[in-house]
Amino acid sequence: MQDHQPGDKIIYGACQHDCPDNCAMETLVRDGRVVSVKGRHDHPFTHGVLCAKVRSFEKRVYAPDRILHPMRRIGAKGEGRFEQISWDDALDEIRDRYNEIIEQNGAEAILPFNYLGSQGLLNGMHAGDPFFNRLGATVGERTFCNSGASKAFRMVCGPTGGLDPESFIHSKLIILWGINVVSTAMHHWRFVKEAMKAGAKLIVIDPLRSRTAARADWHVRPQPGSDAALALGLIHQLIETGAIDVDYVAQHTLGFDELKARAAEFPLERTAAITGLTPDDIVELAKVYGEAKQSAIRTGVALERTRNGPDAVRAIACLPALTGAWRHKGGGYFQHPQAHFPIQRDRLTRPDFVEEGRRAINLFGIADALDAKNDRPIKALFVYNANPITAAADQERTVEGLKRDDLFTVVSEIFPTDATDYADIVLPATSQLEQLDLMYSWGHFNLQLNQPAIEPLGEAVSNTELFRRLSARMGFDDADLQRSDEALLRDSLDWNAAQLEGCSLDDLRENGFSRLMVGDPVERLPHAEGAFPTPSGKCEFASSMADTGGAMIEVYRQGYAGSEPGGAVDPLPQHRGTEPDPRHAFVLLSPKTHHFLNSGYTNLAAGSDQQPLWLHPDDADRLELADGDMARVSNDRGDVLARVRVTDDTLPGVAVITHGYWRKHVGGATVNALVSHKPANIGRAVTINDTRVSIELSSK
Ligand SMILES: Nc1nc2c(c(=O)[nH]1)N[C@H]1C(S)=C(S)[C@@H](COP(=O)(O)OP(=O)(O)OC[C@H]3O[C@@H](n4cnc5c(=O)[nH]c(N)nc54)[C@H](O)[C@@H]3O)O[C@H]1N2
Ligand SMILES: Nc1nc2c(c(=O)[nH]1)N[C@H]1C(S)=C(S)[C@@H](COP(=O)(O)OP(=O)(O)OC[C@H]3O[C@@H](n4cnc5c(=O)[nH]c(N)nc54)[C@H](O)[C@@H]3O)O[C@H]1N2
Ligand SMILES: [Mo]
């Protein structure tokens, strides 16, 4: 324990990172400096524990490589050489260049690239939306994460938070499906462990032996992208063996006969052939799931990342309604609780500034937009809360685009990333300890206020302040563009919503967090009596939202998760097969790295100068590659050098390079040089886990 001294202050906050857990933090401040950052023990979900990354958050805040002043490029693009300039000069230059571009090419030649570097309601994804919408910029469509899975889930169950992650303690069977909870949602693990201590069985369904899979009672290892077939095969077995809750199905579901017919296309042998599992495994899995009525399923974002991914989520979402698991404590499915947070996205984004027909560009495919050969290439790129080089597809083409002399790039950042190296102007951003924010969570049902613990370092500004400054400099007079952080706090949620009964900003200032009024985490049975928030009020096995690909759920033009109608999709889940590519022997997965947060912390973590390549021993033998060899991993899009780790943590034919490494650390391309922008049919989700590659010994 840190000794407290007179004058010390404890400030309540909440982690900003793009992670479901959204930890409650307390910062000890002495003489205006952070002494330590700890987890709050009284938080019902995160319980005083911070992850390995955030435990030393003060090191991140005071890191020597923090960007603290505005800078102008003096070297070539990519070199990363800058001179310090004043905020005034930086804002003037941006205004002048934007006005020039608007005059010559139109405002749609300007594109914001942003995502969830901060996931605060103030400083996160929407911080710049009103500014860019007012400017007339192209709308950046952000489908990096969960946009397919959340729509798929909603097409079946509607916008419901589903099973409370805290009520997993009551489960007798827990299935963690395509999620590595121990690394990516570690605070949920405590609840899973508690259930296991009380006798629950844990099944992990994952091609890889992740940290979570290694702790399972049973690790089921299907081929990547085969989960829709597996879930449909399970549905077929459940129906065939009479393991379904006939009464629940009759009262609370829609389209059982159609689902039954679809599932009949997945008899044992076919399901086994597609998934690589044995028929016995599939029979056993259906038996265990059918028998355990108190069965909880959680899926990760990873499950959506193939062309079959969203349909896998749809098929899985049918399971707890078929067995009637929703009737029982600890029974059901947890996908995403966001629907319960009464976020007023229209107030945050001002979609009314966007006229009909405004261009929208999917940011995962930014390489196309930056391509000089594009009919209407982007002339100005504004990056904040994101890193287009590490997050998006087609890294080499993205980098080529960023080198264009006629592209004016501004990057607002905390650290000198690969992306800042290509900026014309770099702007310094505050860390979470230097800013006010309101945090929702995508892993539990608590709202949290993050209060600033210290003054901004150097000349860093929060994203809200950044866009106030830019709006003023552009001469925009709409009052919303000058909203104070306090006004934004009030606007960001519907404070009169039932979920916020008894919760006010004053309470949050005092206590830091408040659980949403969505029922007791232990007693709560959200769908015991059906009551699904779908058009039919039922769990829709055959979705009534299929004619718009689920897009009707997100009709607002907020550049969020695919706002254009998605086009009709099959009302029922289907396994749509994989596209064979005979030229490349390996499927490449790029899951999260335990010690990074996407591409964050990479500069602070040891050993981030080499990307690991996991290879199964059979493949390593065949390719004559040994542990520690440098391998060249390649396809049409690029080449990546990575250090071989021979391990049966992966399957034969499945190679792995974990996500988040920086080009400048590894001295070349990172994994996104190999992935393509090929959106899935639902939510235009990314399909990065369909990537195919060849592997050979590198001469380097
Ligand atoms: N430590 C850490 N935590 C993080 C992050 C981080 O970078 N680092 N990132 C945060 C973010 S933005 C997100 S979206 C979440 C993601 O959280 P997760 O979805 O848990 O993330 P991943 O590690 O990408 O994937 C989890 C597992 O899915 C498996 N998988 C991949 N493809 C398939 C498939 O087709 N079928 C099945 N059954 N399994 C598959 C992978 O092998 C992997 O072990 O994590 C958040 N938390
Ligand atoms: N191959 C592969 N590609 C992937 C994924 C994968 O697993 N594999 N995951 C996908 C997923 S799930 C996601 S969510 C995306 C993540 O993509 P991004 O959201 O782009 O995530 P990061 O790469 O971490 O970049 C966030 C940047 O924001 C900066 N930042 C943080 N807070 C602030 C702030 O308050 N202000 C400003 N101005 N900047 C800030 C951080 O320093 C960091 O450099 O990547 C996607 N791409
Ligand atoms: Mo994500």
Side-chain angles (χ1 to χ4, degrees):
M1 268 305 287
Q2 190 77 42
D3 287 335
H4 285 213
Q5 295 179 9
D8 282 358
K9 280 191 287 189
I10 296 279
I11 310 291
Y12 288 159
C15 184
Q16 81 191 80
H17 292 312
D18 185 2
C19 164
D21 290 9
N22 190 226
C23 290
M25 313 194 297
E26 54 183 43
T27 301
L28 175 62
V29 180
R30 181 173 304 149
D31 300 329
R33 254 188 95 82
V34 177
V35 178
S36 64
V37 181
K38 294 196 162 32
R40 281 187 63 183
H41 287 279
D42 50 354
H43 191 274
F45 194 80
T46 61
H47 236 248
V49 179
L50 297 179
C51 69
K53 307 174 288 295
V54 176
R55 214 167 285 154
S56 320
F57 199 73
E58 67 280 5
K59 290 205 181 106
R60 180 174 158 94
V61 173
Y62 295 118
D65 55 344
R66 269 227 25 202
I67 294 171
L68 297 177
H69 303 280
M71 298 187 292
R72 180 191 286 127
R73 179 170 62 83
I74 47 175
K77 293 202 177 194
E79 240 182 86
R81 286 202 300 126
F82 297 95
E83 62 178 358
Q84 186 177 329
I85 55 172
S86 68
W87 263 104
D88 258 341
D89 285 352
L91 292 168
D92 279 349
E93 188 160 334
I94 296 169
R95 178 199 53 206
D96 293 348
R97 290 298 297 269
Y98 279 12
N99 283 336
E100 209 177 283
I101 288 167
I102 291 169
E103 210 176 289
Q104 287 172 10
N105 306 86
E108 284 181 351
I110 302 170
L111 176 70
F113 186 103
N114 75 301
Y115 197 51
L116 281 174
S118 158
Q119 58 177 359
L121 289 173
L122 272 58
N123 292 295
M125 183 161 64
H126 295 310
D129 287 353
F131 170 77
F132 288 108
N133 289 348
R134 167 67 183 78
L135 185 68
T138 288
V139 174
E141 186 188 67
R142 297 158 285 206
T143 61
F144 298 93
C145 180
N146 206 41
S147 114
S150 60
K151 282 198 183 58
F153 175 69
R154 287 168 176 219
M155 283 177 76
V156 182
C157 296
T160 166
L163 182 64
D164 198 305
E166 294 186 42
S167 54
F168 275 53
I169 55 170
H170 295 295
S171 310
K172 297 285 176 250
L173 173 71
I174 295 176
I175 302 183
L176 298 177
W177 198 325
I179 182 168
N180 181 11
V181 164
V182 170
S183 290
T184 61
M186 62 169 276
H187 298 83
H188 197 206
W189 183 246
R190 188 168 64 85
F191 298 87
V192 174
K193 239 177 25 192
E194 196 174 325
M196 289 170 83
K197 264 197 211 128
K201 290 278 168 278
L202 173 65
I203 298 177
V204 172
I205 305 182
D206 191 321
L208 306 184
R209 188 183 296 112
S210 64
R211 287 180 192 232
T212 311
R215 291 162 169 80
D217 294 299
W218 185 17
H219 178 194
V220 176
R221 306 182 74 173
Q223 285 297 311
S226 68
D227 307 82
L230 176 57
L232 284 161
L234 291 175
I235 292 170
H236 180 62
Q237 289 303 308
L238 290 169
I239 295 172
E240 287 289 285
T241 56
I244 61 172
D245 181 333
V246 177
D247 180 56
Y248 192 93
V249 168
Q251 284 192 57
H252 303 307
T253 71
L254 187 74
F256 175 73
D257 291 339
E258 292 98 310
L259 180 66
K260 183 178 173 188
R262 173 58 52 84
E265 294 172 23
F266 295 85
L268 274 184
E269 293 302 331
R270 179 171 181 228
T271 309
I274 296 171
T275 58
L277 302 174
T278 65
D280 285 351
D281 282 342
I282 297 160
V283 168
E284 179 65 12
L285 194 53
K287 183 164 172 286
V288 174
Y289 186 73
E291 282 171 0
K293 295 298 178 192
Q294 281 169 278
S295 54
I297 301 176
R298 181 171 184 179
T299 54
V301 174
L303 201 59
E304 80 170 6
R305 299 191 189 121
T306 70
R307 68 197 295 263
N308 297 302
D311 271 351
V313 172
R314 287 210 282 169
I316 292 166
C318 299
L319 289 169
L322 278 171
T323 65
W326 288 114
R327 287 189 201 269
H328 307 279
K329 276 190 195 169
Y333 179 15
F334 178 62
Q335 203 279 321
H336 199 300
Q338 196 172 311
H340 284 324
F341 290 86
I343 302 171
Q344 300 200 121
R345 289 198 197 274
D346 282 0
R347 292 299 299 131
L348 292 175
T349 66
R350 293 294 306 269
D352 55 302
F353 281 145
V354 182
E355 71 289 346
E356 208 43 51
R358 175 85 65 89
R359 173 160 78 162
I361 284 179
N362 188 288
L363 295 181
F364 198 68
I366 178 95
D368 288 338
L370 295 181
D371 197 319
K373 293 196 287 292
N374 190 304
D375 286 349
R376 293 169 65 201
I378 293 301
K379 294 284 184 182
L381 184 69
F382 194 109
V383 179
Y384 70 101
N385 270 348
N387 186 337
I389 295 180
T390 48
D394 260 326
Q395 185 178 86
E396 296 294 4
R397 283 181 57 228
T398 304
V399 168
E400 275 314 301
L402 288 170
K403 282 185 189 156
R404 272 174 39 209
D405 279 332
D406 62 335
L407 178 73
F408 175 62
T409 302
V410 179
V411 180
S412 158
E413 252 299 348
I414 302 174
F415 291 110
T417 63
D418 283 340
T420 59
D421 285 352
Y422 293 87
D424 294 283
I425 299 281
V426 178
L427 300 172
T430 44
S431 77
Q432 186 76 333
L433 299 192
E434 300 148 63
Q435 64 196 18
L436 179 71
D437 218 325
L438 189 59
M439 314 300 298
Y440 74 96
S441 159
W442 47 286
H444 54 75
F445 294 86
N446 297 281
L447 182 68
Q448 310 200 65
L449 186 71
N450 178 75
Q451 312 210 45
I454 52 169
E455 290 295 316
L457 298 194
E459 293 182 276
V461 302
S462 65
N463 292 333
T464 55
E465 174 61 15
L466 164 65
F467 289 107
R468 281 191 291 267
R469 289 184 184 187
L470 274 169
S471 299
R473 197 57 59 115
M474 291 303 295
F476 297 156
D477 54 11
D478 191 288
D480 264 3
L481 296 171
Q482 288 305 324
R483 267 177 295 183
S484 66
D485 285 0
E486 286 294 327
L488 281 161
L489 283 183
R490 287 192 297 276
D491 280 359
S492 55
L493 293 175
D494 174 5
W495 294 95
N496 296 318
Q499 304 95 292
L500 294 184
E501 206 189 310
C503 167
S504 69
L505 275 169
D506 286 340
D507 295 332
L508 286 170
R509 281 193 189 96
E510 173 94 16
N511 302 314
F513 58 81
S514 177
R515 184 177 157 89
L516 299 179
M517 294 291 284
V518 291
D520 184 276
V522 176
E523 301 304 324
R524 192 169 168 266
L525 288 171
H527 302 300
E529 303 294 333
F532 291 93
T534 53
S536 63
K538 298 183 175 199
C539 177
E540 297 192 353
F541 296 155
S543 180
S544 65
M545 292 163 261
D547 55 346
T548 57
M552 58 154 287
I553 299 155
E554 244 114 32
V555 286
Y556 41 72
R557 226 184 135 68
Q558 293 158 341
Y560 172 56
S563 42
E564 297 292 314
V569 296
D570 191 332
L572 295 153
Q574 177 61 294
H575 173 75
R576 301 164 65 246
T578 47
E579 272 179 271
D581 186 346
R583 294 167 310 157
H584 302 301
F586 290 89
V587 175
L588 179 72
L589 301 183
S590 47
K592 305 301 184 187
T593 301
H594 185 77
H595 287 101
F596 303 165
L597 197 290
N598 295 326
S599 69
Y601 292 86
T602 313
N603 53 327
L604 305 172
S608 50
D609 55 345
Q610 282 187 356
Q611 303 172 94
L613 169 69
W614 306 13
L615 269 188
H616 190 272
D618 297 351
D619 292 325
D621 272 357
R622 198 166 39 81
L623 296 171
E624 297 180 3
L625 285 168
D627 246 337
D629 281 348
M630 195 56 99
R632 179 172 167 267
V633 185
S634 59
N635 60 23
D636 290 348
R637 283 171 291 280
D639 285 309
V640 168
L641 296 181
R643 189 71 75 188
V644 172
R645 195 186 127 208
V646 179
T647 171
D648 64 2
D649 288 349
T650 188
L651 293 174
V654 180
V656 180
I657 299 178
T658 61
H659 176 64
Y661 292 83
W662 293 9
R663 287 171 73 94
K664 61 179 153 198
H665 293 157
V666 305
T670 60
V671 69
N672 283 41
L674 300 165
V675 311
S676 77
H677 174 230
K678 202 181 269 175
N681 61 337
I682 295 177
R684 285 206 275 279
V686 304
T687 57
I688 52 184
N689 288 351
D690 285 333
T691 303
R692 297 286 188 282
V693 293
S694 298
I695 296 172
E696 63 190 3
L697 183 67
S698 163
S699 49
K700 289 185 190 151

